[in-house]
Amino acid sequence: MANPLTVIQLLPALDSGGVERSTLEIAAALLDAGHRAIVVSAGGRLVPALQAIGAEHVALGIGKKSPLTFRHVPALRRLFHDTQADIVHARSRLPAWLARAALDGGDPDEPKPHFVTTVHGMNSPGRYSRVMTIGERVICVSDSVRAYVLRHYPNLDPSRLDVIPRGIDPHAFPRDFTPSRQWRAQLDAEYPQLAAGQLLLLPGRGTRLKGHAHAIDLLAALRTNGIDVRLMLAGAQQAGRDRYLDELRARILASGLQDFVAITPPRSDMRELYAIADLVLQVS
């Protein structure tokens, strides 16, 4: 390739979720096309997977909502300069603010990278979220997100918005997949409360917008109607979410469901969990 690109993606952390998975997928596609892929985040469980495909990771705490986080702006500015970045791609609001500050400073005569943002969800409208609309190109992950952005930011030029729907790799999640007996036995030993009955699965990080309370209420209603059903909240158990998790556990206890629910950390066996679930919930 005559002119390979250097693309830097920025996000808070690399633990779990659609933003994180998309970051790895784009990094892999860039590398396959002969480009250089760099990711800036506070780190997390997906860093080894990122590095295994040949991408580079720069550890910076750019996701903590504190004025002190802006101390990383000079480091980002140096990174953009030293790597001769062609594209800076922000996937979250605070990293986008930091990236914008880094791009606005420095030598005014020095060529600057192109700035791209991705709107992954329907963030609360306002000045803080507006930063996700100031990229030269703004990627929206669905038509609904695009419509939401245009509704709340009517002065935004619609031609700058591109819809790139999120999806999955059907080879990684085949419809006819059957988990091994060994895997199932290990899951039953780890979460014996899920070994019987039918399984509801709600995959999602530990945040209120994922609708965990609705899933718990659904479980309570089904069991009240005599249906033997269990619930796994896969990925909801995350560091820094203790207060929210305490709320969920209190709700579970108040409904008498403590023997029928499992709250788990982020997992790498989602293919297997999707395969055994009787119903997968998406109640964001």
Side-chain angles (χ1 to χ4, degrees), residues 143 157 212 228:
D143 290 326
D157 180 1
H212 298 104
D228 185 11

Side-chain angles (χ1 to χ4, degrees), residues 41-104:
S41 83
R45 57 186 287 272
L46 293 178
V47 170
L50 177 77
Q51 294 172 328
I53 62 175
E56 303 165 55
H57 181 258
V58 177
L60 280 178
I62 58 174
K64 187 175 182 180
K65 293 179 180 179
S66 165
L68 293 176
T69 304
F70 278 83
R71 71 186 187 277
H72 296 305
V73 167
L76 286 176
R77 187 175 296 136
R78 288 192 298 272
L79 177 67
F80 299 162
H81 174 271
D82 293 347
T83 60
Q84 295 185 315
D86 296 287
I87 297 173
V88 171
H89 182 177
R91 294 182 171 275
S92 185
R93 290 173 291 179
L94 185 52
W97 279 108
L98 298 178
R100 189 67 265 172
L103 292 170
D104 287 342

Side-chain angles (χ1 to χ4, degrees), residues 103-248:
L103 292 170
D104 287 342
D107 185 348
D109 297 324
E110 182 180 337
K112 299 291 176 63
H114 295 286
F115 185 50
V116 176
T117 57
T118 291
V119 184
H120 283 273
M122 298 178 184
N123 297 318
S124 56
R127 184 176 181 274
Y128 181 59
S129 297
R130 188 183 299 272
V131 69
M132 300 308 294
T133 70
I134 67 174
E136 295 174 47
R137 306 298 296 183
V138 179
I139 300 169
C140 300
V141 298
S142 70
D143 290 326
S144 296
V145 169
R146 182 180 186 275
Y148 180 87
V149 169
L150 289 175
R151 182 165 68 251
H152 289 287
Y153 306 100
N155 295 326
L156 183 62
D157 180 1
S159 67
R160 288 175 37 227
L161 273 61
D162 290 294
V163 176
I164 304 178
R166 290 289 295 123
I168 64 163
D169 180 352
H171 298 291
F173 295 91
R175 286 182 176 273
D176 57 354
F177 176 74
T178 301
S180 69
R181 292 182 179 179
Q182 180 182 3
W183 175 87
R184 184 62 202 246
Q186 183 176 342
L187 182 75
D188 291 345
E190 188 175 4
Y191 300 108
Q193 68 270 44
L194 305 179
Q198 295 179 290
L199 178 63
L200 303 180
L201 172 66
L202 196 164
R205 56 195 172 88
T207 177
R208 202 176 309 279
L209 65 85
K210 293 299 182 182
H212 298 104
H214 297 298
I216 294 168
D217 292 346
L218 173 62
L219 177 67
L222 291 172
R223 293 199 64 85
T224 297
N225 287 326
I227 302 174
D228 185 11
V229 64
R230 318 298 170 102
L231 172 65
M232 172 183 272
L233 304 178
Q237 183 180 321
Q238 291 181 294
R241 302 286 183 175
D242 295 340
R243 183 178 299 179
Y244 177 62
L245 291 173
D246 287 344
E247 287 182 23
L248 294 182

